Amino acid sequence: MATVKPVLCVGCTVIDFVTINESFPKEDTDRRCRDGFWQRGGNASNVSTVLRLLGAKVEFFGMLSQSDGFRVLLQDLNRRGIDVQHCPKTDKDPPFSSVIIVQGTGSRTIVHCNKNYPYVTWEDFSKIDLDRYGWVHFEARNANETIKMIRSVQEHNKTHSEHITISLDFETMYEQNLPMCSLCDYVVFSKELANQQGWRTAQETCNELARSLESNCPCIICPWGSTGAACLDAASNECSMVAAYSPERIVDTLGAGDSFMAGFIYATSVMQHSLKDAVSFANRVAGHKITDYGYDHIAELQKYDKLRTG
């Protein structure tokens, strides 16, 4: 396996308060859940976790809170070996999410609360030495600042022989975040946002997004649950469907999309897979993630990784 530079994941980390229930609670009722736990969440934060479990070197870059409640998140980041040395800090209380998981179906319902928690800025990002990284991954949020960060990586690539790959996790606010896509190498576009645009399949989503971008189209990947994921190769403009990995059971779908994202980055940067093979591995990581709660069991896939790379 090739030795590669770390991945820098830019985005949010939050506290997830998770309850596991037999069924979705009815309004205005008092009931007990089957189980519950808290875990570190947030898209880029989850991607960092799964990348570490797969064996990649990772740095997380996002706003960290200095409040007492955030200490457990910092401890978890440190325990997992996720570098946070460049993160700015704030005294504001950390954002959190309340998550209801229904046992049996594995469905998850999420209510977010961030109380205008600050997001990292281009000024924060500009202090980082990009020579450290081989891949920079962004969440599609706070468009004005994130576009400036992505352009910083592009400018770095123009003056350095080692290309830093840029990926984007595109889940919300289509019109505001669309301009980021043409600045990236890879864009992973969510099924939920595709449905909001009226796109009915993963392949239609890839093709319609490519048409919207007109020029400088990146490779586009669209996971579509149990039907698999579509990927559009920017070089050939060919769109392919890659079959999903079907798990024996579905326990916890929370973070499946972030696990897919991490699996794709790992397969592309570390395993040096082609686009379709990287999407296939990402499907496998996401499929394995939903067979149990949390993320730690994803480390089992390192055995699969060694098998594939010999």
Side-chain angles (χ1 to χ4, degrees):
M1 185 180 296
T3 301
V4 296
K5 291 182 176 181
V7 178
L8 178 64
C9 294
V10 181
C12 296
T13 185
V14 306
I15 301 175
D16 287 342
F17 296 103
V18 182
T19 59
I20 302 164
N21 304 265
E22 289 184 351
S23 60
F24 193 83
K26 295 181 180 179
E27 185 178 356
D28 200 24
T29 59
D30 186 353
R31 60 183 294 176
R32 292 183 181 274
C33 63
R34 295 295 299 272
D35 200 355
F37 55 90
W38 74 267
Q39 65 183 13
R40 179 170 46 81
N43 291 6
S45 182
N46 290 339
V47 172
S48 300
T49 298
V50 177
L51 281 168
R52 283 296 296 138
L53 289 167
L54 291 171
K57 297 177 182 178
V58 187
E59 180 175 336
F60 171 76
F61 179 69
M63 186 65 67
L64 302 183
S65 172
Q66 299 186 97
S67 73
D68 291 339
F70 200 84
R71 195 175 303 150
V72 288
L73 272 69
L74 287 174
Q75 290 171 349
D76 189 63
L77 286 161
N78 291 332
R79 177 177 66 86
R80 294 185 181 279
I82 298 171
D83 191 347
V84 294
Q85 64 176 297
H86 294 104
C87 292
K89 295 179 175 61
T90 178
D91 290 328
K92 290 195 173 183
D93 288 336
F96 65 89
S97 297
S98 301
V99 184
I100 298 172
I101 295 177
V102 177
Q103 200 171 44
T105 66
S107 70
R108 88 288 185 278
T109 303
I110 308 173
V111 179
H112 300 290
C113 179
N114 70 11
K115 299 181 182 178
N116 294 318
Y117 189 77
Y119 194 69
V120 286
T121 65
W122 170 82
E123 186 177 357
D124 299 322
F125 187 80
S126 65
K127 299 172 185 176
I128 298 176
D129 179 8
L130 293 175
D131 279 334
R132 296 165 47 90
Y133 313 105
W135 191 299
V136 182
H137 172 65
F138 293 92
E139 293 180 22
R141 65 172 72 235
N142 200 356
N144 289 338
E145 294 295 322
T146 302
I147 285 173
K148 289 192 286 185
M149 294 185 218
I150 296 174
R151 290 196 184 279
S152 292
V153 182
Q154 286 187 318
E155 290 302 313
H156 181 275
N157 283 339
K158 290 177 183 178
T159 58
H160 293 74
S161 58
E162 292 187 46
H163 178 84
I164 299 174
T165 303
I166 305 169
S167 60
L168 183 71
D169 182 6
F170 196 168
E171 289 192 347
T172 60
M173 302 178 70
Y174 179 78
E175 296 294 339
Q176 294 92 326
N177 292 325
L178 184 63
M180 299 184 201
C181 293
S182 60
L183 307 176
C184 302
D185 298 293
Y186 299 100
V187 172
V188 175
F189 197 89
S190 76
K191 177 182 178 181
E192 182 178 356
L193 187 57
N195 287 333
Q196 292 175 20
Q197 296 304 117
W199 302 334
R200 296 163 296 177
T201 68
Q203 287 174 300
E204 179 184 3
T205 298
C206 288
N207 288 323
E208 289 297 331
L209 182 58
R211 289 192 190 96
S212 299
L213 297 172
E214 295 180 359
S215 59
N216 298 322
C217 182
C219 292
I220 300 170
I221 302 100
C222 182
W224 209 265
S226 60
T227 63
C231 54
L232 187 146
D233 191 315
S236 65
N237 203 35
E238 178 184 349
C239 188
S240 305
M241 196 71 191
V242 181
Y245 169 78
S246 300
E248 293 182 1
R249 61 177 187 164
I250 299 175
V251 174
D252 175 18
T253 60
L254 178 65
D258 300 328
S259 299
F260 178 95
M261 187 78 246
F264 176 78
I265 293 172
Y266 183 80
T268 306
S269 65
V270 179
M271 301 171 79
Q272 299 290 297
H273 279 353
S274 66
L275 178 63
K276 286 180 66 175
D277 285 345
V279 172
S280 180
F281 183 77
N283 280 340
R284 181 173 176 82
V285 174
H288 187 69
K289 182 267 165 287
I290 67 177
T291 63
D292 208 344
Y293 296 110
Y295 300 96
D296 287 339
H297 58 291
I298 291 175
E300 298 165 5
L301 288 175
Q302 287 179 314
K303 299 173 185 176
Y304 173 79
D305 172 13
K306 290 174 184 175
L307 244 140
R308 290 295 301 267
T309 58

